[in-house]
Amino acid sequence: GQLKRVALANVLITEPDFLILDEPTSQLDPIAAADFLQTLGRINRELGTTVLLTEHRLEEALPLATHAAVLDGGRLLCTGSPAEVGRRLRGRLHLSGIDGQAAALAGKWGLGFEIAEFCWAPRLEQPDAMELVRQQIAGVERLWLHAPFAELAPCAIDLLVREAALRRFRQTIRTARMLGVKRIVVHGGYIPLVYFPEWYVEQSAVFWKELLADVPPDMVLAVENVMEPGPDMLVQIAEQVNDPRPVSYTHLTLPTI
C-alpha cells in the first residue's frame, strides 16, 4: 500500500489533469485498498484531477464515482451514474462467492449471486459448507452454483478419472436441488497440449450425455470454457449431445467497473 502511495505521489508532482489507473488495488488487502481508493477520492475533490480507473472492489469505488461504465469481454454493457448502472444491471449481474463480501453485497444491491463454496469438491461432503451457503443466500433471489473443477476432467482418457468427475457433478446436482438452485456452472475441462481438440469434443459429448440423464428438466447446466481458445468446441459438443433442452455454453467474465 505504501509503495502505491509513493508511486501515486511521484505522478502527482507533474500536476496531471487525468489519472488513469488499471485495477490499482488488485494486490492490496481490503483495508489498504479502501484507504487507497479514499486517497483517490480526495485527489479528485481537492485537486480537481479527473480519475479514470478499472476496479472490482465495487463497494469502495462506486460511492466515489460520478460516472461508471461496465465492460464484459471488451464490450460496453452500459454507462451512466453509479445509480443508473446499478438499476440497469440489477437483473443481469451476479457476484461471485470467491469474494467474501459478495453475498452481502448481492443482498444489499438486489443482485444475483454465484455460490463458490463447492468449487473445492470435498466441501460437498462437509455439513458446515451447506449451512454456510444457506446463510449466504438468504434473501438472494437469483442464484448460480459453481460446480467443483480441480482435478475433474470430463474428457479424461482414464475412465476411472472420468467416473470421479461424474460422481462429483452428480453430488453437485443433488446439492443444488437441496438449496433450491436451478443453474449450475461447470468447467469444460479442456487442457491445451494434453487433449487433442477432436478427442475433447467427442469424449466430452459422451460424458455430458450421461450426466444430463441426471439433470432435472428445469435445471440449466452452463459449461464454461476456461482454457479453451474460444467457445467453438463447446458449440460442437452441444451439437453432438443434441439434448432437446435449451443449450447453455458460456465464457463467464467478471464485469469491470
Side-chain angles (χ1 to χ4, degrees):
Q2 293 300 319
L3 290 176
K4 286 187 178 288
R5 282 176 171 272
V6 171
L8 183 60
N10 286 336
V11 172
L12 291 175
I13 291 175
T14 65
E15 299 182 356
D17 293 325
F18 292 90
L19 281 177
I20 301 177
L21 302 159
D22 183 16
E23 297 192 50
T25 67
S26 61
Q27 297 181 356
L28 301 181
D29 61 67
I31 295 177
D35 189 48
F36 186 83
L37 290 172
Q38 288 297 324
T39 298
L40 292 179
R42 289 186 58 191
I43 291 171
N44 173 251
R45 293 190 307 271
E46 298 176 12
L47 301 181
T49 304
T50 298
V51 180
L52 176 65
L53 74 155
T54 60
E55 185 57 61
H56 287 129
R57 298 176 186 267
L58 304 186
E59 187 171 30
E60 293 89 357
L62 283 179
L64 302 173
T66 58
H67 196 88
V70 179
L71 303 175
D72 183 12
R75 295 179 297 110
L76 179 64
L77 293 184
C78 62
T79 182
S81 70
E84 290 170 342
V85 169
R87 285 193 295 269
R88 294 178 188 176
L89 291 180
R90 187 160 293 173
R92 301 175 59 186
L93 184 63
H94 290 69
L95 302 183
S96 173
I98 58 175
D99 186 319
Q101 301 180 40
L105 294 177
K108 177 180 177 180
W109 293 342
L111 304 175
F113 178 66
E114 180 192 58
I115 301 165
E117 190 65 28
F118 304 108
C119 287
W120 185 52
R123 292 294 278 162
L124 290 165
E125 300 170 347
Q126 298 172 0
D128 68 297
M130 182 67 77
E131 180 58 31
L132 174 62
V133 169
R134 290 188 189 279
Q135 295 175 11
Q136 289 178 334
I137 66 176
V140 180
E141 296 182 1
R142 298 187 311 282
L143 296 166
W144 282 88
L145 188 152
H146 201 302
F149 54 86
E151 301 175 327
L152 298 179
C155 58
I157 297 170
D158 190 329
L159 294 180
L160 291 179
V161 175
R162 199 180 307 188
E163 182 61 35
L166 273 173
R167 177 179 175 182
R168 287 305 193 189
F169 288 159
R170 284 167 175 156
Q171 284 182 295
T172 302
I173 293 167
R174 291 194 295 270
T175 299
R177 296 187 71 174
M178 287 188 290
L179 292 168
V181 179
K182 295 185 178 181
R183 294 181 293 182
I184 299 175
V185 178
V186 294
H187 283 189
Y190 179 71
I191 303 176
L193 305 181
V194 173
Y195 302 120
F196 289 108
E198 295 81 6
W199 168 276
Y200 170 68
V201 171
E202 174 187 288
Q203 296 303 311
S204 292
V206 172
F207 178 91
W208 296 119
K209 280 183 180 179
E210 184 173 353
L211 181 67
L212 281 169
D214 299 318
V215 177
D218 61 344
M219 183 172 284
V220 173
L221 197 67
V223 183
E224 178 182 3
N225 62 308
V226 179
M227 299 184 73
E228 294 91 333
D232 294 347
M233 287 191 289
L234 294 185
V235 174
Q236 295 175 39
I237 292 169
E239 290 173 347
Q240 290 191 24
V241 170
N242 194 28
D243 190 84
R245 290 169 290 189
V247 176
S248 181
Y249 38 82
T250 182
H251 177 69
L252 300 180
T253 56
L254 182 65
T256 299
I257 293 183

